[in-house]
Structure formats: C-alpha cells, structure tokens
Amino acid sequence: MKFGFFDDINKEYVITTPATPWPWINYLGNEDFFSLISNTAGGYAFYKDAKYRRLIRYRYNNVPMDNGGRYFYIKDGETIWSPGWKPVKTELDHYECRHGLSYTKITGAKEGLKAEVLFFVPLKSWCEIQKMTLHNTSSDIKKIKLFSFLEWCLWNAEDDQNNLQRNLNTGEVEIEGSTLYHKTEYRERRNHYAFYHVNAPVQGFDTDRESFVGLYNELSEPQAVLDGKPRNSHAHGWSPIASHYLEVELKPGEKKDLIFILGYVENPDDKKWESPKVINKKPARTLIQKYDSIQKVDRAFEALKDYWVALLDGFVLESGDEKLDRMVNIWNQYQCMVTFNLSRSASYFEVGIGRGMGFRDSNQDLIGFVHQIPERARERIIDIASTQFEDGGAYHQYQPLTKRGNDAIGGNFNDDPLWLILSTSEYIKETGDYSILDEMVPFDNDESLAKPHFEHLKASFYHVVNNLGPHGLPLIGRADWNDCLNLNCFSTDPNESFQTTGNKTGGKAESLMIAGLFVVYGREFVTLCRRIGKEQDAKEAQKYVDEMVEAVKHYGWDGEWFLRAYDYYGRKVGSKENEEGKIFIESQGWCGMAQIGKEEGLIEKALDSVKERLDCKYGIVLNNPAFTKYLIEYGEISSYPEGYKENAGIFCHNNPWIMIAETMIGRGEYAWNYYKKICPAYLEDISDLHRTEPYVYAQMIAGKDASKPGEAKNSWLTGTAAWNYYAVTRYILGIRPEYDGLRIDPCIPPDWKGFNVKRKLRGTTFYIKVENPKSVSKGVVKVVLDGKVIDQNLINTFDGGRHEVLVIMG
C-alpha cells in the first residue's frame, strides 16, 4: 500500500494521507541550524547540538505518537483544524505534504479555506522560516482566528526532562510586539536565546503553557483555541511556550501570506544586555529584517533550491530505471548529506541526547558526500582525527558543539581507528589533495600534541598491530563495528551498558571483521606511504598486512565461510561448531572485499554461504541461526528477539559490503538483487509493512526469524546511506575515483544494455556512456575518450573541461 508518490521533477516525495504507518520526516538545514519535521509538522529545531542547544520541546515514545512541533490552529467559526492534521486531527477536505531537499511544504484545506505552510532553514542563517499562505477558496468572506504554537525546550534536552525541581522555576520570556523571546537562564551562564516572530501585528499572544493549553487539556484542544481568545500570558517559571494570535479576514478568492521565524541568537558576553534585565535584541532584529518580506523569503528559498541543484550535479545517472535513477540522483545523495550533518545524533529513533558524532560513523558517512562538498569533508576528517588518542585509539563519539570526545562513552572499540584511513584515502582519491597528510592535527584536542595528519593514519594502522590476540588476529576491545557483539562484557546487571562495560579483563577476544578491515585499509595505508615517498613505512606496513592475510587463512576460515570472532575464552564465534549464530555477515563482507583466499576459492565459497544461509526476501540477515537464548559471553547481540537488530535482523549497513564483494568476483546479478531488496524506492508498494519513509534507508529491517519480516526501524541516520551509495555508484555502476584518475569498471546484471553517467571530478566533467552489447556482467574491452581509443579504463585527464567517454563492455 502506498501513502504518496515520488515527484522526481521537483525532487519531492508527496504524502497524500497524514496517517502514515510511522511519522515520515524530513531534515531542514545544511550547516549550523537544523530542524526535524514530520509530515504533520511534528519535531523540533536546534543549533548545532540536539542535546545542548535544542529550541523546541519534543516528547519521544509518547502516546499519541509524534507529539510536539510547530503547530498552527485555525478557528473558522466553530470548526478548529490544523493544516498538517495534527494535533487537532480534524478530518481535512484536502491534505498534502511535500518533503523536498531541506524543505517541507504542508497543505491543508477545510470548508473553503486552504492553508499552505512552507518550512525551510535559509542558507547561512540560524532560523527556521515558516511561510504560511491562507487562501479563501469559498464564495463567502472568511473571518478566522489563527494561533501559532511551539513549546520551548530549556536548551539542554536531557536536563529539560530530568531536573524538574529546577526547570519548573526558571522559565523566562520577553515580549516585544510580534516577537516572543525565550531567555531562560540567560541572566546567568548562557549567552544565547531564541525567538518566534510573525511579520504582522498580533491581536494577542501566550507564553505560558498552562494558560494556553489548560492544565488537563491536550495539544489537540488548547483552551485558548477552544475559547477563541488568547490569555496574553507571561511565563515566569513553569513551562514557556510561544503562541501568536492573529485575526484574519479574507475576501472570496483572496490570499494572504504570513512569515513566521523561529530563530536562535548568541551574544558576546560583553553585549548580553540592552538595559538591566532586557536582553540584547539587536541580532534578532537584524535576522528578522533579513526575512521580513515575501520577496526576501522567496529569494532565500530559491537560493536553497539552487544550492541543492549544484550539490546533486556531481553525479547524475540515466539508467532507464526510474527507481534507481531517483535513488542515485536525489534521495540517496540527500540522505548522505543528512548523515554528514548529524551522524547518529537526532532522528525519530535517536533522541539527540545520548549520542553525538560517531568516530566510525562520521568517517564512513564521508564516502557518501565527499564528491558533493570535498572542502567540508576535509574539515570533518580533521575534526575526527583531533579526537584520536596518541596510541591510535579514539573516543567512540564526540559532541558537535564542542568537537571534543565524549568521556561518558570513552573508547576501546577497536575498529574505530581504521575508518580514519578510509575517509582520508577516499578524500584524496576524490580531490587529489595530498596536503591533508601534512596538516598539523592534535591528539585528544591538545594542540601541544599536534602532528601531521599522516601520523594519525600511522597511529591508526599500528593500533591494530599493537593489539593482536593469540591467533595473530585483532583484539576486539569493547566491540568492533557490531556494537552488540560484546565479548568482554559478561553482564548480569540490567542497569549496565553492554557496550561500555567490561566485567572481565585479560581476555583474548579477536575479530575477523577487523582483520578484513585491516587488510583493506592497511593496503590503502601502504599505497599512501609509497605515494608520498615513505618507502620504508610502506615496506614495514606491508609485512603486517601480509601476516594478517595468513592469520585469516589459517585461523579464520571455517570450511565454507569466515569465522566471525574468537570469544573471551578463545572459542570460535560464527562457526558450524556453534549451536546458534553459525555464520555472520560482517566477516564475509570484509574478508571478501579484502579478497583473502581468492586464489583458493574462499571468497566464492563464503559468498555462496551468504546466499544460502543469510539471504531472505527482504535482504541479508546479520547472522544465522538467530539466538534464542541469552549468551552472557556474547552480550547484547543475544538479548534481542529473533530477527531484530543485531540478532538476525537485516542490518542494512552491512548489506553493501556483500554487494561490493560480489562485484569483485564478477557476480553483478547477485550484487544488483541484494541492492534492490533494501533500496527504499523499490519498497514503496509495501509501505504499510515497511512503515518507515519510502525515500530513505532504514538501519534495520526485520529478518526472516521476526514476527513481521520486512518491517523497518531506525530510518535516516544510518551508515546504510553512504555504503549503499558507494556500492551502487563505485562498484555496480563502477564509476570509481582512484589516486591516478577515474576508473570505469561496471559489474552489472547481464541483461542491462548500458547506462549513462555524468561525473564531476577534480574540476572536470565526464559524460560517460556504457554499452553492454554482449550481455556480460563485468569486463571492459574498449574505452573511447573524446573520439580516441585509449588503452585503459582509467581516465586521467583533468583539465577543467568536459569530456565524452564511451565504454564498451565485453
């Protein structure tokens, strides 16, 4: 069942019924100021950090679902309704939500009145614009009462819900004309405030929640709206809100535009006040003036759309398959930019409190957006590396506001360091900019410990070398990429974190996933060493890579697939010897991508085992058989019900690793089928089962052992976005930047006749036409560059111009 449709021309997903199977959201903002907005206008806004600078209060895991947002109440006679359906839930005569690239447009109509609200965050601005257009489509004069509404958060979103004895006494506001200011705690340690403005005279307002809503009312029936009159309340303590009251008269056919601005301001400490107890509003007035007319707002919106046109112009596919084209050209790239901005910090599944930017997450996310904004990718790499420890280890997370490591989580996730080699090597391949290796970068944010970025990569490499177990395989630490494989935790206490608790020390738990990862990015490190003239470093590193390959062959092969790990006691994990969890996806993917044992046929055997044991209708499950009992020596992975999350769920992040490995052995049909199974555009028809947005990837789809196979969870903020984009563009389509140029090496289903790609790289634009006359999956027999046959499938002409490339497969 569908709940809307793709509008590819406008790059929008159009939702036509408000009661979607789960709130379907969008993200507004591209740099410092961000908003989450659902198809019914739920969600919240924040400046940089959803924990420390959240503007709007939002209630997760609540009943009813998706409570809180930026709401408008319209009282038209005795009828009360909202353009986005919620929170009033009056049945609308017409409803539509258009989620576009960093904007959302919600339209509702009732009894001859149409209300359209465009939500977006302008470029380089710390505010959310809400442009409302009211249109009287009836033949009668309309006299309506309009109430805006949002509830302020006390900035620290965790403290906001915990420290009520303080927070119910600190709320403070100021009111100046049509602008409602939230200044809680500004008198003391804060130098920032928020405001909500409308560009019209108001006939009233409210800033105290209880006065507006009523103590025992719900947001669906605020007492002020029911009564049709505001209370003109001033919050002093208790719960501050912002609500404008406007009386609007519309003649038949008349339209009226209103501009609401939700803004954030920071003042220098010496310029906090206009006068005693009166906040310095000058920056707010300047921001309001910037968007105080329809013309200014429309120009800002056009600039935002132009920004996205430019971002998406770096890779454009014409395949003849509209679903593939819309994912590659629009939605997958868009989701990659969102994960770049937010990592895993704030979605409708991540509350923006417990997690900041992930070390491993942000490094992996980079491979999905580096072609769009390489200069910001470089900045992100330096930010990440700056949180690394001198021994190569790393904080698992860091806070986006401070860019400092998160002490509460700590480190010792032993895969983390290697992802820095991934991000750096992909950045250099995209840009040709080796100077990043000379950039002075601190360890643990201590400038006195700064060394060239190359030394951070070297520390990452040797962190593995210096932490090997008895089989010569990497020690897992707290966990590797699979945070829920906690081989040193041994927890019996439900109040402990599986991932940050190590109740047993001195164990020798080893990871085959890290082993494969080390071989892949160890080779990249060797290549980088040679390219910058560090031959001795390259020679020494190659020795360790070779030793790891042999250790995997000798101790990591189980006969038909690669082991997953060795546990605390040195016993096999992911082996036919195990009762449950006999095979895992991660080690098949990474040892497959590392091509360990290819000559002996190990890769093909391992991937055949994936097909036989892990594949199902909705994707590749993480492990099989599912765990049916809690194994204390395995940790969190065995705590989930069968078929969910890491216990035999389809953890979409790792499916692309298998796709890539399949292309490496030339099995394009397998790679393509795996791609389609988890790609959201191909799942739109089962939205009632899938539940999450049909335009972005989810982290997890329930596996074959679940009660509802095919049901998705944890959408938007997942490494799935970057890895699927990487897999389909660089390995299935085969358009792959390398150090010396652009490699064109497709691996496609044999029934594909070809495709066209526009790819920008290092200031040069390539128009690539791939033809497959002999219906092969892999192999290039002829390359024609600007009408001349060349003897390789690596294009290394970078002159700032445009070039035509014809590639014949065979």
Side-chain angles (χ1 to χ4, degrees):
M1 178 180 174
K2 292 185 180 182
F3 295 83
F5 59 91
F6 285 96
D7 179 349
D8 294 335
I9 299 298
N10 290 305
K11 299 180 176 62
E12 295 172 337
Y13 191 82
V14 185
I15 301 167
T16 53
T17 175
T20 48
W22 186 261
W24 286 358
I25 75 166
N26 195 12
Y27 285 85
L28 317 179
N30 293 293
E31 199 156 346
D32 292 331
F33 190 99
F34 300 101
S35 296
L36 290 72
I37 183 168
S38 72
N39 57 297
T40 59
Y44 57 92
F46 59 93
Y47 169 76
K48 286 191 177 180
D49 192 308
K51 177 178 180 178
Y52 293 122
R53 295 292 185 274
R54 188 178 304 198
L55 275 63
I56 302 179
R57 182 173 282 160
Y58 183 81
R59 294 163 179 81
Y60 279 87
N61 201 25
N62 206 353
V63 178
M65 181 65 194
D66 195 22
N67 242 16
R70 63 288 277 159
Y71 292 140
F72 293 99
Y73 300 88
I74 295 172
K75 186 170 176 36
D76 182 6
E78 294 305 310
T79 303
I80 297 171
W81 59 282
S82 294
W85 184 59
K86 283 198 72 175
V88 180
K89 296 197 289 187
T90 298
E91 185 176 350
L92 300 174
D93 298 334
H94 170 76
Y95 163 89
E96 180 182 271
C97 170
R98 288 181 170 264
H99 283 322
L101 306 183
S102 291
Y103 69 89
T104 287
K105 186 184 294 182
I106 295 175
T107 304
K110 185 71 176 173
E111 296 174 355
L113 180 65
K114 180 180 177 182
E116 175 187 283
V117 190
L118 170 66
F119 302 86
F120 72 101
V121 172
L123 298 172
K124 305 292 182 182
S125 294
W126 297 353
C127 66
E128 175 184 307
I129 302 292
Q130 303 161 6
K131 176 190 171 186
M132 171 178 270
T133 302
L134 297 169
H135 182 197
N136 182 0
T137 60
S138 76
S139 57
D140 300 317
I141 293 174
K142 285 281 185 184
K143 293 182 178 181
I144 66 167
K145 296 177 178 181
L146 174 67
F147 298 81
S148 67
F149 173 83
L150 57 84
E151 183 177 4
W152 298 115
C153 179
L154 299 178
W155 288 296
N156 185 323
E158 183 173 30
D159 185 75
D160 181 62
Q161 62 190 10
N162 294 338
N163 194 4
L164 300 187
Q165 65 83 25
R166 171 174 168 79
N167 293 338
L168 292 181
N169 293 280
T170 58
E172 285 191 275
V173 300
E174 285 186 27
I175 298 135
E176 183 181 75
S178 299
T179 312
L180 309 174
Y181 292 90
H182 176 222
K183 64 172 187 176
T184 298
E185 293 186 334
Y186 186 81
R187 69 164 70 184
E188 23 165 313
R189 295 169 296 173
R190 295 189 183 276
N191 68 345
H192 42 269
Y193 60 80
F195 66 86
Y196 195 32
H197 169 83
V198 63
N199 71 331
V202 297
Q203 285 72 56
F205 60 85
D206 275 295
T207 65
D208 175 72
R209 186 184 72 195
E210 184 178 330
S211 300
F212 178 77
V213 178
L215 183 58
Y216 295 107
N217 288 18
E218 297 184 13
L219 294 180
S220 59
E221 48 177 16
Q223 197 62 49
V225 179
L226 295 177
D227 294 344
K229 59 182 180 182
R231 305 309 196 238
N232 296 331
S233 58
H234 289 249
H236 195 73
W238 297 107
S239 299
I241 65 163
S243 174
H244 305 94
Y245 170 70
L246 299 98
E247 295 174 354
V248 181
E249 181 174 322
L250 295 168
K251 298 173 184 176
E254 185 181 2
K255 290 183 179 181
K256 182 176 180 63
D257 291 314
L258 295 166
I259 301 166
F260 294 84
I261 303 174
L262 168 64
Y264 172 88
V265 166
E266 286 186 357
N267 282 324
D269 287 342
D270 61 346
K271 295 181 179 178
K272 285 182 65 171
W273 306 100
E274 285 183 3
S275 59
K277 295 188 177 181
V278 178
I279 60 176
N280 177 7
K281 302 183 184 69
K282 184 177 179 181
R285 295 186 191 108
T286 300
L287 184 53
I288 289 167
Q289 188 177 22
K290 191 175 179 181
Y291 302 110
D292 63 0
S293 71
I294 295 301
Q295 293 75 19
K296 291 178 182 178
V297 167
D298 289 348
R299 281 198 299 269
F301 183 53
E302 288 305 312
L304 177 66
K305 291 200 289 187
D306 290 345
Y307 171 82
W308 274 103
V309 167
L311 279 183
L312 298 181
D313 197 44
F315 195 109
V316 181
L317 169 67
E318 295 176 3
S319 70
D321 181 337
E322 67 175 11
K323 295 178 181 178
L324 176 61
D325 288 354
R326 73 170 55 114
M327 288 308 300
V328 170
N329 296 337
I330 305 170
W331 292 101
N332 199 171
Q333 291 196 64
Y334 179 48
Q335 188 178 1
C336 286
M337 282 295 293
V338 172
T339 60
F340 156 65
N341 284 325
L342 298 174
S343 187
R344 309 297 174 267
S345 62
S347 73
Y348 268 32
F349 298 89
E350 296 281 4
V351 301
I353 292 174
R355 298 179 67 175
M357 310 292 279
F359 190 96
R360 84 157 70 102
D361 297 328
S362 294
N363 275 303
Q364 290 177 86
D365 290 342
L366 185 136
I367 67 177
F369 72 82
V370 62
H371 68 290
Q372 294 178 310
I373 45 171
E375 67 285 352
R376 292 186 69 191
R378 190 185 202 277
E379 177 186 325
R380 175 59 54 82
I381 291 169
I382 300 304
D383 285 347
I384 296 168
S386 298
T387 68
Q388 189 177 25
F389 304 132
E390 286 186 278
D391 70 351
Y395 285 107
H396 196 48
Q397 299 166 10
Y398 68 97
Q399 292 302 135
L401 192 66
T402 64
K403 296 185 179 179
R404 291 189 170 274
N406 188 343
D407 286 316
I409 303 297
N412 201 28
F413 294 78
N414 282 353
D415 65 306
D416 275 350
L418 289 170
W419 301 110
L420 189 62
I421 301 176
L422 160 69
S423 62
T424 304
S425 60
E426 290 297 331
Y427 167 78
I428 294 173
K429 290 173 185 177
E430 183 70 33
T431 63
D433 174 22
Y434 288 87
S435 72
I436 190 174
L437 299 176
D438 300 321
E439 181 90 8
M440 295 299 288
V441 182
F443 285 99
D444 199 10
N445 290 110
D446 185 342
E447 291 294 343
S448 70
L449 301 177
K451 289 185 178 179
H453 183 59
F454 172 81
E455 296 298 326
H456 284 259
L457 303 188
K458 188 173 181 179
S460 295
F461 179 90
Y462 281 99
H463 187 270
V464 175
V465 173
N466 295 331
N467 288 276
L468 299 177
H471 300 97
L473 299 168
L475 293 172
I476 198 170
R478 286 180 174 174
D480 58 23
W481 172 87
N482 188 336
D483 284 326
C484 297
L485 191 60
N486 316 118
L487 302 180
N488 296 299
C489 180
F490 289 83
S491 180
T492 58
D493 182 352
N495 299 309
E496 288 179 337
S497 162
F498 282 108
Q499 296 172 26
T500 60
T501 301
N503 286 317
K504 283 189 179 288
T505 58
K508 301 298 181 184
E510 299 165 286
S511 166
L512 266 297
M513 181 263 165
I514 299 179
L517 187 71
F518 176 77
V519 172
V520 172
Y521 295 117
R523 288 172 179 156
E524 289 287 0
F525 178 68
V526 169
T527 300
L528 281 174
C529 288
R530 292 202 167 112
R531 287 184 165 269
I532 62 174
K534 294 183 179 291
E535 197 58 45
Q536 187 56 42
D537 281 317
K539 185 177 179 181
E540 184 74 11
Q542 185 64 56
K543 179 186 73 169
Y544 291 114
V545 173
D546 294 342
E547 289 174 357
M548 187 66 72
V549 169
E550 292 306 309
V552 172
K553 287 183 184 180
H554 194 70
Y555 296 109
W557 182 249
D558 199 54
E560 294 180 75
W561 56 82
F562 293 98
L563 296 173
R564 178 61 178 86
Y566 284 90
D567 70 11
Y568 177 88
Y569 302 107
R571 299 179 304 207
K572 295 176 181 177
V573 177
S575 166
K576 58 181 177 291
E577 299 172 12
N578 300 127
E579 181 183 349
E580 296 175 340
K582 293 175 181 288
I583 179 173
F584 286 71
I585 188 174
E586 303 100 323
S587 46
Q588 318 316 316
W590 279 104
C591 293
M593 285 191 283
Q595 298 287 279
I596 297 173
K598 181 181 178 182
E599 300 79 6
E600 299 95 321
L602 304 191
I603 307 303
E604 192 165 341
K605 276 187 181 179
L607 295 178
D608 284 346
S609 295
V610 168
K611 185 68 179 171
E612 177 187 351
R613 293 171 178 264
L614 299 179
D615 186 30
C616 73
K617 181 179 179 180
Y618 300 106
I620 309 169
V621 301
L622 189 141
N623 58 288
N624 180 261
F627 295 106
T628 61
K629 56 194 174 191
Y630 175 50
L631 299 178
I632 192 170
E633 67 271 30
Y634 283 18
E636 188 172 358
I637 189 171
S638 62
S639 71
Y640 288 108
E642 299 90 319
Y644 288 97
K645 289 281 282 178
E646 283 81 358
N647 186 18
I650 299 158
F651 213 90
C652 300
H653 187 142
N654 50 42
N655 277 225
W657 302 342
I658 300 298
M659 298 173 203
I660 293 169
E662 288 285 5
T663 67
M664 288 180 162
I665 62 170
R667 302 203 301 200
E669 186 98 39
Y670 280 43
W672 173 243
N673 286 336
Y674 288 142
Y675 173 81
K676 285 199 300 183
K677 283 183 178 183
I678 65 169
C679 181
Y682 293 91
L683 307 177
E684 188 187 12
D685 288 341
I686 59 166
S687 289
D688 49 337
L689 168 64
H690 192 68
R691 297 191 68 188
T692 60
E693 297 90 341
Y695 42 93
V696 293
Y697 284 97
Q699 177 208 66
M700 193 279 297
I701 299 171
K704 55 189 176 181
D705 301 290
S707 61
K708 271 193 188 176
E711 180 184 56
K713 293 179 183 176
N714 294 40
S715 59
W716 277 100
L717 300 186
T718 165
T720 306
W723 275 108
N724 271 277
Y725 188 75
Y726 190 80
V728 71
T729 58
R730 302 193 181 203
Y731 287 91
I732 295 176
L733 300 174
I735 313 298
R736 188 163 61 248
E738 295 183 357
Y739 295 109
D740 290 326
L742 186 63
R743 179 79 61 187
I744 305 173
D745 184 24
C747 186
I748 57 178
D751 60 354
W752 279 23
K753 298 305 178 188
F755 57 88
N756 299 323
V757 167
K758 173 186 175 183
R759 177 62 156 97
K760 293 182 177 179
L761 185 67
R762 303 178 198 173
T764 302
T765 304
F766 299 96
Y767 292 87
I768 303 161
K769 183 178 181 64
V770 175
E771 295 181 352
N772 187 20
K774 297 193 174 179
S775 299
V776 300
S777 269
K778 193 175 178 72
V780 172
V781 295
K782 186 177 182 182
V783 178
V784 182
L785 175 63
D786 296 328
K788 297 180 180 179
V789 176
I790 60 175
D791 60 0
Q792 60 180 0
N793 64 339
L794 181 71
I795 311 298
N796 53 18
T797 301
F798 299 107
D799 56 8
R802 54 172 286 165
H803 298 277
E804 305 283 340
V805 184
L806 174 64
V807 177
I808 309 296
M809 297 180 67

